[in-house]
Amino acid sequence: MPLTNQEQERYNRHIILHDIRIQGQEKIKETSILVVGAGGLGSPILYYLTAAGIGHIGIMDDDVVSESNLQRQILYDTTHVGTPKVTVAATKLKQLNPFTRITPYFTRLSLDNALEIIPEYDIVMDATDNLHARYLINDACVKLGKPFVYGSICEFSGQVSVFNYQNGPTYRDLFEYNDEIENFSQPLGVIGALPGIVGSLQANEAIKIILEKPGVLSGKLLTIDILNNTYLTFAIRKKERGEESLFK
């Protein structure tokens, strides 16, 4: 879909990049992305993907804004406490970029809705804070042939990778599943700036996928320690496995 004159002005700093140009920005405009989680990671992911001109963004989260969120979840402020995150996010993002269509889902990703919602999107962003949701995303994306961009944070450390991209490794190739995961839930501390760094890297990976650029973190795990300023990348090997999935 061609860019309007107003869109060309808005995205000028993209368009003048040799690796994007008009054609690349039009690809960005034609892409749809589902962001699962609208908290610490979801905030920068949503801001930067919306600002970048993604054509359609879905936001899935069943939580409301709480006082403890405000230390790191930059989409929200004190006036939003008690309001569903997807409601606030949709309003703010539409103000940021009226050219991006925003679809809020005030619900949690589940076995019942994953295969109904994910097919509508080209890429899935993992901005969750629990292990079970990541396996749901992974298994749904494997079943549907969708790439997903993974991110996680804890204290001063974070991880980023891209799974199920061009027949690359999946989340299960990095972390084996076990039944105890479904019951694992423990709030962890996190320095406020960390989700901004990791979420921004995730948004950048999504743009690289759209533009089909080399260097996508498929088959690689980027680990970050911002306390000691270390950035390391590890290879992820694709394993021979059966039809392991939460979707039977």
Side-chain angles (χ1 to χ4, degrees):
M1 185 182 299
L3 300 175
T4 65
N5 290 337
Q6 188 178 355
E7 286 174 304
Q8 289 188 42
E9 181 179 357
R10 176 180 287 260
Y11 307 127
N12 174 262
R13 293 302 187 272
H14 270 177
I15 291 168
I16 62 177
L17 288 171
H18 176 76
D19 287 316
I20 299 184
R21 302 300 195 195
I22 288 279
Q23 294 82 1
Q25 190 62 46
E26 288 174 345
K27 284 185 178 180
I28 293 171
K29 180 179 179 177
E30 292 164 1
T31 300
S32 58
I33 295 181
L34 177 66
V35 180
V36 184
L41 290 173
S43 291
I45 290 171
L46 288 164
Y47 261 131
Y48 280 113
L49 291 182
T50 301
I54 297 298
H56 179 204
I57 296 177
I59 314 168
M60 178 177 285
D61 199 299
D62 69 343
D63 198 10
V64 299
V65 179
S66 68
E67 194 77 28
S68 64
N69 297 152
L70 303 180
Q71 164 256 10
R72 67 200 176 281
Q73 298 184 19
I74 57 171
L75 263 173
Y76 316 111
D77 62 46
T78 304
T79 65
H80 300 134
V81 171
T83 306
K85 292 180 181 179
V86 295
T87 302
V88 179
T91 299
K92 281 201 165 187
L93 298 174
K94 287 174 185 175
Q95 292 171 343
L96 173 64
N97 191 348
F99 297 108
T100 295
R101 179 161 65 97
I102 306 294
T103 301
Y105 302 93
F106 185 43
T107 186
R108 182 183 294 265
L109 187 72
S110 68
L111 284 166
D112 295 326
N113 63 29
L115 299 183
E116 294 178 3
I117 295 174
I118 289 177
E120 299 179 28
Y121 297 90
D122 301 311
I123 300 170
V124 180
M125 309 294 293
D126 166 31
T128 63
D129 60 1
N130 73 87
L131 295 174
H132 184 59
R134 293 192 179 113
Y135 286 98
L136 275 174
I137 294 170
N138 179 80
D139 294 354
C141 286
V142 168
K143 188 176 183 69
L144 298 167
K146 310 279 186 179
F148 93 88
V149 182
Y150 156 75
S152 71
I153 51 176
C154 178
E155 298 183 350
F156 295 88
S157 302
Q159 298 180 343
V160 183
S161 189
V162 175
F163 295 112
N164 203 46
Y165 177 64
Q166 296 183 342
N167 201 37
T170 76
Y171 184 71
R172 286 179 180 265
D173 291 317
L174 179 62
F175 297 115
E176 293 285 348
Y177 180 85
N178 65 73
D179 292 335
E180 294 180 4
I181 286 169
E182 295 191 34
N183 299 317
F184 180 82
S185 179
Q186 180 180 359
L188 301 170
V190 60
I191 190 71
L194 180 63
I197 297 168
V198 173
S200 297
L201 287 168
Q202 287 181 265
N204 191 55
E205 288 302 303
I207 298 298
K208 285 157 60 180
I209 291 170
I210 295 165
L211 299 175
E212 301 178 90
K213 296 300 179 183
V216 172
L217 285 170
S218 175
K220 303 170 187 174
L221 178 69
L222 174 64
T223 65
I224 301 165
D225 178 347
I226 63 170
L227 188 61
N228 298 298
N229 287 319
T230 57
Y231 291 72
L232 301 172
T233 304
F234 301 91
I236 302 172
R237 182 173 59 87
K238 188 171 183 179
K239 301 174 183 176
E240 294 295 328
R241 56 175 69 251
E243 296 297 320
E244 300 170 346
S245 177
L246 296 174
F247 300 92
K248 305 300 182 183

